[in-house]
DNA sequence: TTTTCTCTATACTCACCGGTAACAACCTGT
DNA sequence: ACAGGTTGTTACCGGTGAGTATAGAGAAAA
């Protein structure tokens, strides 16, 4: 028996969990390199060195460099899709759901996997992954556009072109991933709240 | 004498002009590859083949692949800076100057060199070029932020955080370079006008 | 005419990096 | 004890692509 009452032999679950946590470590290390240097400029030897292992070790957990990138963007997109679906399903008028969606979207873009989505051009992936990547982005865009269209229909949003409005919103939010600096003055919440307010109310002053 | 009354021997100016036009051809061909595939995924042999020459020929006009990229982003940034400075110097209240700036900025982002700016991360360039690249972007951002601050001060824009507002605007506009499709339904002018209206007036409906 | 300069091609070097082969150490279950 | 799976290593392969050495053709200058 061990000091803490457990055996020194790890169970199958323990080993499986350890494997998962190592996979995880590869992903979080790699995504930071990708975000800092770009996919092509990142080499797996550097990632491996940072993890204090060698390159072939990484290949025990992923079958290719691209699979690592794809898993990163998949996670980022999953996070965005979650916030989009949650907001879409929430009650209230279109404007309220849009506000919630934008706020949470902005927060995701300040985190590693979210940043990776915005910084990864489709062309960076092979044909198969690119197809999936685009499909996921289309889904999210459809939800965003749908919520905006709902708001325009229920009178809570100014009438207009929902596609263009969605692209404007997506642009402002995705760009957060480019300029956000964790060491900067603005917290993710500051950014999210301020950006939502600006996009909803506009820049122009409307006081009489 | 030639049929058109000129000599078959080209003057020094003609030869110089020809050289410039060849340099130009390299740039416009390269920038399209960069925009379509990304800098690292573009190889100069493909660019050369498209121009019906070979790679060493390109090296008679540019000293490195990076110099080509830098010249592309330099042109894009120059175009943006021009519209920013013109708008800044124009008369009128902050809101009016901001509107003009945003509209012209959006138009630049639908063109090759403008797109290249938004699609090129700093990390893609070497230390020296990166320094210049960032400095130019900072200048433009300062103008944008300044115009917004002016508008907030003169009462034409809603009071708020000029930095955050500038980032929101820049994000929406820069993102145009990612999704704009020349073969799509929306013309650059449609996009520019619609986006300016959305950003200025906001998404929320404010009719009583 | 001869020399020189500009432009272009052929044919190459060389470094980098994604990916693999082979093997060793170590658990774990039989 | 032993077989088999997992995890890691060292040492390597092979493709790719930036950049270059060299030479030749043609125009321009001397």
């Amino acid at each position: 028996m061990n000091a803490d009452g457990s055996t020194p032999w790890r169970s199958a679950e323990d080993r499986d969990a350890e494997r998962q946590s190592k996979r995880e470590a590869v992903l979080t290390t790699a995504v930071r390199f990708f975000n800092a240097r770009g996919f092509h400029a990142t080499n797996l030897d550097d990632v491996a060195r940072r993890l204090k292992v060698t390159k072939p070790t990484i290949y025990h957990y992923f079958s290719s460099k691209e699979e690592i990138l794809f898993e990163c963007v998949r996670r980022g997109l999953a996070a965005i899709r979650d916030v989009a679906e949650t907001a879409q399903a929430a009650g209230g008028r279109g404007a309220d759901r849009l506000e919630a969606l934008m706020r949470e979207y902005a927060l995701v873009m300040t985190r590693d996997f979210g940043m990776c989505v915005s910084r990864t051009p489709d062309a960076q992936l092979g044909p198969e992954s690119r197809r999936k990547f685009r499909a996921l982005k289309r889904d999210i865009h459809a939800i965003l556009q749908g919520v905006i269209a709902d708001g325009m229909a229920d009178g809570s949003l100014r009438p207009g072109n929902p596609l263009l409005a969605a692209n404007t919103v997506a642009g402002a939010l995705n760009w957060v991933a480019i300029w956000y600096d964790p060491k900067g003055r603005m917290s993710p919440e500051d950014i999210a709240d301020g950006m939502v307010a600006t996009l909803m109310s506009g820049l122009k002053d409307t006081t009489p």
Side-chain angles (χ1 to χ4, degrees), chain A:
Chain A
M1 286 285 239
N2 261 4
D4 61 352
S6 62
T7 82
W9 288 274
R10 281 165 305 170
S11 67
E13 298 87 58
D14 282 350
R15 272 180 288 125
D16 203 60
E18 186 168 348
R19 186 182 171 81
Q20 285 307 315
S21 94
K22 287 179 182 177
R23 233 184 103 97
E24 196 73 22
V26 172
L27 283 177
T28 57
T29 303
V31 76
R32 281 176 197 156
F33 273 99
F34 293 158
N35 288 337
R37 304 187 185 174
F39 177 68
H40 285 292
T42 298
N43 70 61
L44 290 186
D45 283 315
D46 287 342
V47 176
R49 197 171 313 122
R50 175 76 57 93
L51 290 163
K52 315 267 199 202
V53 294
T54 55
K55 187 170 50 172
T57 299
I58 293 181
Y59 280 88
H60 277 278
Y61 298 91
F62 296 92
S63 71
S64 72
K65 188 185 179 189
E66 194 194 306
E67 185 184 310
I68 299 177
L69 175 61
F70 182 72
E71 178 61 18
C72 291
V73 297
R74 202 197 55 73
R75 289 185 179 212
L77 284 165
I80 301 172
R81 199 199 44 215
D82 284 352
V83 307
E85 285 178 347
T86 301
Q88 183 187 36
R93 305 192 307 170
D96 302 319
R97 286 183 287 146
L98 176 61
E99 246 179 75
L101 195 166
M102 292 194 297
R103 191 187 132 84
E104 297 303 316
Y105 193 137
L107 293 177
V108 172
M109 297 313 287
T110 64
R111 297 197 278 264
D112 289 330
F113 294 117
M115 286 181 48
C116 189
V117 171
S118 157
R119 299 171 95 114
T120 302
D122 318 12
Q124 210 114 104
L125 290 79
E128 188 56 26
S129 311
R130 180 159 61 234
R131 236 200 58 251
K132 294 183 198 163
F133 185 39
R134 284 187 171 151
L136 287 166
K137 286 200 289 189
R138 252 198 314 277
D139 288 350
I140 292 167
H141 211 274
I143 295 177
L144 173 60
Q145 207 179 316
V147 171
I148 291 175
D150 289 350
M152 289 178 177
D154 70 23
S156 58
L157 295 181
R158 191 184 300 275
N161 180 341
L163 172 58
L164 182 54
N167 277 327
T168 304
V169 166
L173 296 174
N174 284 326
W175 204 249
V176 172
I178 308 297
W179 61 267
Y180 169 66
D181 175 11
K183 298 188 295 297
R185 286 186 194 77
M186 304 181 78
S187 73
E189 288 75 18
D190 291 341
I191 293 169
D193 291 337
M195 195 164 277
V196 168
T198 300
L199 288 169
M200 290 302 285
S201 305
L203 293 156
K204 211 184 310 185
D205 193 3
T206 52
T207 56

